[in-house]
Amino acid sequence: MERLAQISQQWMTRRLASAMPHYRLLFSKTGVWPNFEEELPTEIKKEAEAYWKNKYNGLSHQSVKQCEACNDKGKKYVLSMFPYPSGKLHMGHVRVYATSDAMARYYRLRGYKVIHPMGWDAFGLPAENAAIDSGEMPEKWTLSNIQQMKDQLQELGCRFDWDREIATCDPKYYRWTQAIFLLLFQAGLVYQEEALVNWDPVDQTVLANEQVDVNGYSWRSGARVEKRFLKQWFIKTTRFSKSLVDGLSDPTLENWSDIVKIQRHWIGDCVGYRVEMPVEQLDTCSKDTYVQESGKLALWMAQPELIYGISFIGVHSGHKYDSDSYKVQKHDKYQLLSVCAVCPISQRRIPVIVCDDLPYIEDAEFYVGIPCMSSVDMSVARTCNFETPEVIENGKLVNCGNLSGLMLDSARTLVTKQLAEIGAGGFQASVKLRDWLISRQRYWGTPIPIIHCPDCGLVPVPEDQLPVELPQITSFPKRGISPLKEASEWRKCSCPRCGGEAERETDTMDTFVDSSWYFLRFLDPNNSKSPFCYNIQDTVMPVDLYVGGKEHADLHLYFARFMQHFLGSKGIVSHSEPFKRLIMMGMVMGQSYLVKGSGRYITKDQVDFSVNPPVELGSGAPIEVTYEKMSKSKLNGVDPQEVLQKYGTDTTRLLMLANFAPSSQRNWSEETFPGILNWQKRLWLTVSDFIRIRKNKEESNGMSLSSEEAQEHDKFLWESRNRYLQSITFHFEHTHQLSVAISYMQGLTGNLRKVPRCCALSEEFELTLGALIIMLAPLTPHFASELWAGYCSVATSPHTKHDLPVVEQSWPEVDQDYSLSLKYSIPGKETREVKVARKILDHLTPDAALDLIAADDDFKDYMEGRSIITTHLKVLPGMEASVHFTYEVQDVAKVKAAFKKMKAEKKKQKMEKRLNKQLRKAES
């Protein structure tokens, strides 16, 4: 009867296979595993994705909550840079979000409580331009785009914590952006000043220096940028220059090597000090009366203790004071101005001149003339009849008020303290760094919460009146006129101090302000009392893994770090550095086809590849084929929606994550696809064989193995599983090189297919296949779920959790008896290693590690005449360990003898290598 039932089942399977299309044979729906020898149809993969998305949405919300509530391993805050809601994901988004989702899923499998939020950097110029062009208001346009992109992210299989979702254009969010702005204002770190700015004549708005390319064109509109003087709002980020540089050495930072260089370069060397001097102008009606000007001169001085010795200040031509209204008298090539700087300590007026020939320090905005320190400065001062103060005598200061009699170093400490106390600088800074210009002359941004009162001046909006919401508008004026200037009812208000008539500020904030603290709001998105709860951020911060585009490794990262340092100085946050570990993704590049000599781009189907090099069809003009940043103008963009439609969700994720290191440029080419598509097919066939052989044991009778052969294959599988598991785990956990992890998974798949098929009956084969599917799950959650369902239908090992889907399994562990590497280095030698069982390695002490490597002959030889002073051991449980040591020489003769022996051995190895090479060449 049992045999009859088997025959009946086989007959039914064949009938189903012949009567139903492939996609109807999905195992999770029918219990019938379809077998494809030639190619794994995309329809099957899509059917599996649809089934598992509907069933779990990648991971059931309920199970996540249970998992997070129960685990005691700790937390992982995985954050990807939130996108601007343009309405459509681009391939760069796919790369970033596929990576962050894979890492979040990996950490869940490792047993961590994972926070993986998503939101929207929703203010900005594109929404405003769309409103001007189409008549659709920015809010409606933005919210519509948010929904479209949210749907696309879910189609991509990303499992974000949507209950933490935020949008910076929501008044519930920007209320707190305004509150943080007021904190900065109260701390003296916000000011308004007329400045020479970059003006985009097309978008009719101010651009930050970083939004202008090296040729002087706007990065967004492409227009040549103009220079204009406008009254702008600044945040004094330079105040934290030294803190931000020092923070790059924070021991909590991991894997920041390249980013440290970028950040250090951006901030510059903080080898001088900021000295701020108010400006006065000579009254045109009286030659002896000076009138206070708005703004200050922000000087950079390497020796601020010489402040009493300043004779004059120089500015470049083109400075805002270089105009006819300020020019007074010309002395040779020096143009004297009607303005002077006022020393904040002595109150002495210091003349200002315009001259480009002064020996300005590179990147310096001003030149500080100190005649007692420079013959050039003495010559300028005498030419212009300026005072030439003598302030140094016998290494001490003289004629310098309370600094007199002090040595220079002591005076520096005192003068910088005085400057800081009166709010005139005194902090260390680089000569190149500038304060953050945050003013934007547009509507769709966070309103600056300042009121202009004719009597009280600049008055902050009281916190209980926040948020200052954007007024509702029904139409946009032409470009260059902010609707806020036209909103007269909204603009007019009462002064909070005197109650008189006043006006609201009509500039809005740069969107970088919104994104400088969003990672904190994600932790407490519904808090109506404060931006976030201190205790919550104390528990969750810093961000464990921050994933984003490499192009944001300078500016955005700098602003976010500044904000965290500022909030830390106020005791509002507990960690000075916001991001522990970074994955800065390289750009996704598209293949472009440029007609040589014309600057004209064409599409691929307009290229004749039958000749080499390729030419344009029709004209025969030679074509230059390159990889460039994807753009409409270069006709090389790739629509993620088309890729998803053609290959499905999980395959798209694999295609994006494989073959290229995260930080490297990713050239998008279908030539790299076959390897991944074939691997998916081999995975499917491996599970197919596993199911068939387990269900039809008699099929393997003709392939029976001796006990010795079975043990040999089991040992091979055990070694493969542990070796590849160790490497895959290492690259997920420590390098985040998912492309390398994928390569190792492909290797493990190959080893599973190397052994005879009857080995599928063994527990070792089952454990190895199960581990592979679990490790695949973070990358392709739906495809892995289908493989797991088929696998579990015949798996029998008590080590397999058959009742849980793959996305809720535990990440597999290297066996305790498997030998791992204990690495150490000897100068002049390659890194060496000693193999140690995991059960020993995970619990190694420095002394025990030294005992293990002491048995190595090279180590013995090198340590002749030396004794170890300190030992540093680093253990990565289940992966590897490394030991580093310092030593002292005790017997010089023995050290020399050992060195001579090592040198001879090295020479011998070189000779043997050369000889072997010659022998191989002769044999060939």
Side-chain angles (χ1 to χ4, degrees):
M1 290 295 291
E2 184 178 343
R3 176 62 182 155
L4 185 63
Q6 285 181 344
I7 294 171
S8 175
Q9 177 64 39
Q10 291 171 4
W11 178 80
M12 284 296 294
T13 301
R14 287 195 293 272
R15 284 292 302 273
L16 282 167
S18 62
M20 302 171 72
H22 282 163
Y23 66 86
R24 298 294 297 168
L25 287 179
L26 188 68
F27 177 83
S28 49
K29 287 188 175 181
T30 66
V32 178
W33 188 269
N35 193 10
F36 306 103
E37 293 294 340
E38 297 300 323
E39 183 180 343
L40 176 60
T42 300
E43 290 81 4
I44 281 286
K45 291 187 279 188
K46 285 186 175 181
E47 182 77 2
E49 288 161 8
Y51 176 84
W52 291 106
K53 280 179 184 176
N54 289 335
K55 189 171 179 64
Y56 293 110
N57 190 21
L59 188 63
S60 68
H61 186 73
Q62 183 180 6
S63 68
V64 173
K65 290 299 180 186
Q66 290 172 349
C67 174
E68 292 185 352
C70 296
N71 89 82
D72 57 359
K73 187 164 185 177
K75 63 87 186 179
K76 287 290 182 181
Y77 184 2
V78 181
L79 180 64
S80 45
M81 293 181 183
F82 62 173
Y84 177 75
S86 59
K88 207 172 188 181
L89 292 180
H90 56 65
M91 295 305 286
H93 288 136
V94 174
R95 193 180 196 193
V96 167
Y97 301 131
T99 300
S100 78
D101 187 65
M103 290 307 306
R105 289 175 182 274
Y106 162 76
Y107 286 130
R108 288 193 188 98
L109 293 173
R110 292 283 284 179
Y112 291 99
K113 176 178 178 179
V114 176
I115 297 169
H116 188 218
M118 176 49 67
W120 312 96
D121 195 5
F123 275 135
L125 193 58
E128 194 153 322
N129 286 346
I132 295 169
D133 295 337
S134 68
E136 186 175 38
M137 292 302 99
E139 183 176 17
K140 183 179 178 183
W141 186 85
T142 301
L143 295 179
S144 172
N145 287 350
I146 284 174
Q147 188 56 54
Q148 288 180 55
M149 291 181 72
K150 186 172 180 178
D151 292 343
Q152 285 185 301
L153 286 172
Q154 290 175 328
E155 186 177 354
L156 189 59
C158 294
R159 197 283 170 190
F160 289 111
D161 303 340
W162 290 112
D163 54 344
R164 297 181 185 275
E165 183 180 10
I166 58 175
T168 58
C169 64
D170 186 341
K172 292 177 184 176
Y173 180 88
Y174 70 71
R175 167 191 177 177
W176 299 114
T177 301
Q178 291 173 338
I180 291 171
F181 175 92
L182 293 179
L183 270 178
L184 289 159
F185 185 84
Q186 291 157 10
L189 297 179
V190 172
Y191 62 94
Q192 192 180 31
E193 184 174 278
E194 192 175 66
L196 187 65
V197 298
N198 304 305
W199 180 259
D200 187 322
V202 173
D203 284 334
Q204 296 283 299
T205 190
V206 168
L207 301 175
N209 288 334
E210 300 73 33
Q211 295 168 318
V212 181
D213 68 20
V214 293
N215 297 313
Y217 291 92
S218 166
W219 68 280
R220 187 179 294 279
S221 72
R224 178 171 283 282
V225 169
E226 300 172 0
K227 293 291 186 178
R228 291 189 180 182
F229 286 105
L230 293 175
K231 204 165 208 180
Q232 302 287 287
W233 286 96
F234 293 84
I235 294 177
K236 197 181 293 184
T237 50
T238 51
R239 171 64 182 81
F240 285 83
S241 301
K242 188 65 166 60
S243 173
L244 290 166
V245 168
D246 292 345
L248 296 171
S249 301
D250 192 311
T252 64
L253 303 186
E254 298 177 3
N255 199 33
W256 271 60
S257 55
D258 292 339
I259 310 305
V260 165
K261 293 176 186 174
I262 293 171
Q263 286 285 296
R264 284 190 189 280
H265 180 264
W266 185 261
I267 298 167
D269 295 326
C270 298
V271 293
Y273 294 79
R274 170 105 156 212
V275 177
E276 297 172 0
M277 294 192 178
V279 178
E280 290 184 352
Q281 183 179 12
L282 191 65
D283 191 337
T284 54
C285 299
S286 171
K287 292 183 178 181
D288 301 320
T289 306
Y290 283 85
V291 178
Q292 182 76 41
E293 277 270 298
S294 62
K296 296 179 180 179
L297 296 187
L299 309 180
W300 184 88
M301 294 184 68
Q303 294 180 281
E305 64 273 17
L306 300 179
I307 192 169
Y308 281 86
I310 300 175
S311 172
F312 64 91
I313 293 169
V315 299
H316 291 283
S317 58
H319 190 273
K320 68 175 181 178
Y321 292 133
D322 181 22
S323 68
D324 292 339
S325 59
Y326 291 109
K327 292 177 181 177
V328 176
Q329 186 178 2
K330 194 167 182 68
H331 297 277
D332 192 18
K333 54 188 176 182
Y334 312 115
Q335 176 66 58
L336 182 62
L337 302 176
S338 62
V339 296
C340 63
V342 180
C343 175
I345 294 178
S346 68
Q347 303 305 310
R348 184 170 57 90
R349 292 190 180 97
I350 302 170
V352 180
I353 61 173
V354 177
C355 182
D356 290 323
D357 290 341
L358 295 169
Y360 289 89
I361 297 172
E362 186 178 2
D363 297 317
E365 188 176 3
F366 303 101
Y367 181 81
V368 181
I370 305 177
C372 69
M373 299 294 290
S374 163
S375 58
V376 172
D377 296 355
M378 181 63 76
S379 173
V380 173
R382 286 173 175 167
T383 299
C384 298
N385 299 316
F386 295 151
E387 181 185 359
T388 56
E390 288 291 340
V391 294
I392 299 179
E393 189 176 287
N394 299 323
K396 294 183 178 181
L397 291 177
V398 294
N399 306 316
C400 293
N402 64 347
L403 302 179
S404 297
L406 295 177
M407 300 294 288
L408 298 187
D409 287 347
S410 300
R412 182 177 304 176
T413 302
L414 180 58
V415 77
T416 52
K417 182 181 178 182
Q418 290 176 345
L419 289 168
E421 287 173 349
I422 60 178
F427 51 84
Q428 283 183 271
S430 73
V431 68
K432 65 185 289 187
L433 194 63
R434 300 287 182 267
D435 286 334
W436 180 9
L437 191 162
I438 66 162
S439 285
R440 297 296 180 266
Q441 292 69 42
R442 54 185 181 234
Y443 167 78
W444 195 236
T446 297
I448 293 176
I450 293 291
I451 290 170
H452 296 267
C453 174
D455 296 321
C456 304
L458 300 178
V459 182
V461 173
E463 192 165 329
D464 60 4
Q465 293 180 24
L466 298 180
V468 177
E469 294 194 40
L470 289 169
Q472 293 295 317
I473 59 172
T474 57
S475 63
F476 256 78
K478 65 180 181 178
R479 291 181 197 267
I481 301 176
S482 169
L484 296 183
K485 291 186 180 295
E486 304 286 304
S488 55
E489 289 188 14
W490 175 87
R491 200 173 75 246
K492 292 178 181 177
C493 63
S494 298
C495 174
R497 286 184 186 162
C498 68
E501 292 184 0
E503 288 194 354
R504 297 189 185 281
E505 172 60 54
T506 57
D507 279 0
T508 53
M509 295 188 210
D510 177 13
T511 56
F512 275 120
V513 183
D514 302 311
S515 60
S516 67
W517 72 281
Y518 75 111
F519 45 89
L520 293 164
R521 186 64 178 176
F522 270 140
L523 305 179
D524 201 7
N526 300 313
N527 193 329
S528 60
K529 304 294 184 184
S530 61
F532 47 85
C533 170
Y534 181 90
N535 291 336
I536 290 176
Q537 67 80 37
D538 187 34
T539 303
V540 178
M541 288 293 286
V543 173
D544 292 281
L545 193 63
Y546 195 32
V547 186
K550 203 170 184 178
E551 66 272 21
H552 300 299
D554 45 22
L555 202 60
H556 160 67
L557 202 58
Y558 167 71
F559 292 142
R561 292 184 61 233
F562 158 77
M563 192 62 77
Q564 186 78 4
H565 279 238
F566 165 69
L567 294 175
S569 73
K570 292 295 178 183
I572 297 171
V573 298
S574 51
H575 301 79
S576 61
E577 287 297 331
F579 311 119
K580 184 176 182 180
R581 202 171 179 88
L582 306 171
I583 303 181
M584 295 285 103
M585 313 292 293
M587 285 188 177
V588 181
M589 313 294 274
Q591 203 162 37
S592 62
Y593 306 92
L594 177 66
V595 179
K596 287 186 178 179
S598 71
R600 180 167 54 89
Y601 288 90
I602 59 176
T603 59
K604 186 176 182 179
D605 56 11
Q606 295 173 298
V607 180
D608 182 1
F609 291 99
S610 65
V611 295
N612 191 19
V615 297
E616 183 182 19
L617 284 170
S619 72
I623 298 296
E624 183 180 350
V625 182
T626 58
Y627 280 96
E628 298 181 81
K629 182 180 178 181
M630 291 184 180
S631 70
K632 291 180 181 178
S633 63
K634 294 184 176 70
L635 304 176
N636 68 340
V638 175
D639 186 350
Q641 204 62 42
E642 293 178 6
V643 181
L644 288 166
Q645 183 64 33
K646 184 175 181 179
Y647 295 104
T649 295
D650 286 352
T651 304
T652 298
R653 288 165 63 114
L654 275 183
L655 293 173
M656 181 57 80
L657 297 174
N659 301 318
F660 294 87
S663 61
S664 67
Q665 173 181 301
R666 204 275 184 234
N667 294 338
W668 186 257
S669 170
E670 292 193 358
E671 293 176 3
T672 64
F673 295 2
I676 290 299
L677 299 176
N678 289 333
W679 176 43
Q680 283 188 297
K681 184 187 77 173
R682 283 184 285 122
L683 283 165
W684 189 275
L685 289 175
T686 304
V687 173
S688 180
D689 292 343
F690 179 68
I691 294 171
R692 188 179 69 254
I693 291 170
R694 288 266 172 141
K695 282 188 173 180
N696 303 285
K697 294 185 175 64
E698 69 277 5
E699 186 179 311
S700 64
N701 287 341
M703 299 183 290
S704 59
L705 302 171
S706 67
S707 60
E708 290 81 7
E709 288 174 322
Q711 286 178 3
E712 185 179 341
H713 290 307
D714 273 356
K715 183 180 179 182
F716 172 75
L717 289 170
W718 183 83
E719 286 279 355
S720 295
R721 173 169 57 84
N722 282 290
R723 183 173 75 255
Y724 282 110
L725 171 57
Q726 179 268 334
S727 298
I728 292 165
T729 305
F730 177 80
H731 286 291
F732 262 98
E733 186 78 25
H734 295 286
T735 72
H736 314 305
Q737 300 271 6
L738 300 186
S739 57
V740 179
I742 289 170
S743 297
Y744 282 121
M745 289 185 203
Q746 291 172 312
L748 183 55
T749 305
N751 282 5
L752 277 167
R753 298 192 64 76
K754 279 181 184 177
V755 298
R757 294 193 179 184
C758 60
C759 290
L761 295 171
S762 77
E763 183 179 38
E764 199 54 61
F765 187 97
E766 178 180 323
L767 291 175
T768 304
L769 178 57
L772 175 59
I773 298 172
I774 293 171
M775 292 188 291
L776 181 68
L779 307 169
T780 62
H782 319 99
F783 183 65
S785 292
E786 186 67 17
L787 296 179
W788 185 256
Y791 165 85
C792 283
S793 68
V794 293
T796 58
S797 172
H799 301 293
T800 302
K801 300 175 186 175
H802 306 84
D803 56 330
L804 288 177
V806 70
V807 291
E808 295 181 40
Q809 294 292 319
S810 296
W811 187 262
E813 291 284 345
V814 169
D815 289 333
Q816 292 294 317
D817 290 327
Y818 183 72
S819 293
L820 299 169
S821 296
L822 169 60
K823 298 179 179 179
Y824 71 97
S825 296
I826 290 177
K829 292 275 188 178
E830 293 181 358
T831 299
R832 302 182 64 82
E833 61 181 35
V834 175
K835 291 295 185 179
V836 184
R838 180 188 175 177
K839 59 188 175 187
I840 297 173
L841 181 136
D842 283 2
H843 306 287
L844 271 182
T845 63
D847 289 342
L850 274 180
D851 288 342
L852 288 167
I853 66 174
D856 185 83
D857 289 338
D858 273 355
F859 182 79
K860 287 179 183 176
D861 291 343
Y862 184 76
M863 291 309 297
E864 278 290 328
R866 297 178 171 93
S867 63
I868 291 174
I869 304 172
T870 61
T871 306
H872 177 70
L873 175 68
K874 183 179 181 181
V875 176
L876 305 179
M879 286 168 271
E880 65 181 34
S882 57
V883 61
H884 304 277
F885 51 86
T886 61
Y887 60 85
E888 63 181 1
V889 175
Q890 288 187 322
D891 189 326
V892 175
K894 285 185 177 180
V895 170
K896 286 182 177 179
F899 177 75
K900 189 175 180 180
K901 181 180 178 181
M902 289 174 68
K903 193 174 179 181
E905 181 65 28
K906 196 170 184 179
K907 185 177 180 181
K908 180 183 174 183
Q909 289 174 357
K910 276 187 177 180
M911 290 177 66
E912 287 177 351
K913 191 175 180 180
R914 192 182 303 120
L915 181 61
N916 288 333
K917 188 176 180 181
Q918 291 171 350
L919 287 172
R920 285 195 301 270
K921 188 176 180 181
E923 289 170 357
S924 64

